[in-house]
Amino acid sequence: MTAPSFEDFLSLSVDLTAFEETVLLGTGLARPYLAKVRAACGDEVVTALLDAHRASRADAAVDAGGHDRALPDRALLDRALLDRALLDRALRHQIFSDDRLGPVARNVIKLWYAGMWFALPPEWTDCYGAQAAGETSTVTAASYQEGLLWRAIGANPPGAKAPGYGSWAQPPRIEDRYLNGATK
């Protein structure tokens, strides 16, 4: 078995977090996070997760373009051409509804947003085995500061990145894409 690909993990992370690849790379945590997921779940599970992600993207591309499921057009697999709703549906079907892969994918999301790896549910470890690195833990000291939740809510991590004198007098800056139709 080959080791899970960093590029595939990054692509999965982009689809799970809805943040651009450049943002994820800019945190400097993509490689440590892949190493953490591998240590916590094992390469077999991570490889299955990445395979299911590729299959989800292929399903979404086929649904979008009506191409042959076995040979989806490579251009349709490009992130810019995928319909997000079709991809979300494919991810739910291939990954989130799977008893083995769903909890791991949800943990990857939490890892990116909170900067912590949360222990998998006991039901998961009973079925698929516990790894020594699978306990709840922080991956690196920078994980908290670089957590995506701070970007999502337009705030700085308390106690880690000072926002500047007087900034507390200003309302939070929340990007329109996070408001989802809500008024400011």
Side-chain angles (χ1 to χ4, degrees):
M1 175 188 305
T2 60
S5 156
F6 173 73
E7 290 75 21
D8 288 346
F9 178 73
L10 191 58
S11 176
L12 169 73
S13 296
V14 166
D15 288 341
L16 293 181
T17 65
F19 275 88
E20 296 292 326
E21 184 177 302
T22 54
V23 172
L24 300 182
L25 287 172
T27 66
L29 295 170
R31 288 187 189 280
Y33 283 177
L34 173 58
K36 179 62 181 182
V37 176
R38 291 177 64 193
C41 302
D43 281 353
E44 182 181 337
V45 170
V46 176
T47 299
L49 178 62
L50 297 177
D51 289 345
H53 176 247
R54 275 191 300 277
S56 298
R57 292 185 68 77
D59 284 353
V62 167
D63 290 345
H67 292 266
D68 181 4
R69 189 168 300 278
L71 298 170
D73 187 337
R74 188 73 189 159
L76 287 174
L77 295 176
D78 182 355
R79 155 176 323 110
L81 298 176
L82 282 178
D83 181 311
R84 185 67 206 190
L86 292 174
L87 179 59
D88 287 348
R89 187 175 63 198
L91 290 172
R92 276 191 214 100
H93 176 72
Q94 296 270 346
I95 295 175
F96 290 109
S97 65
D98 186 276
D99 290 341
R100 183 171 71 146
L101 303 179
V104 175
R106 284 186 278 280
N107 266 20
V108 170
I109 295 169
K110 290 188 269 185
L111 179 62
W112 278 107
Y113 275 84
M116 288 188 67
W117 176 262
F118 292 90
L120 289 161
E123 301 82 19
W124 192 94
T125 55
D126 289 346
C127 287
Y128 305 110
Q131 303 285 331
E135 297 299 319
T136 298
S137 60
T138 301
V139 177
T140 72
S143 297
Y144 169 73
Q145 294 177 11
E146 296 298 332
L148 297 178
L149 78 97
W150 306 118
R151 292 175 192 252
I153 65 172
N156 288 348
K161 286 185 175 178
Y165 181 77
S167 63
W168 53 85
Q170 303 297 318
R173 296 174 314 265
I174 302 173
E175 293 180 32
D176 288 339
R177 70 181 182 137
Y178 301 117
L179 295 175
N180 198 20
T183 59
K184 291 182 182 178

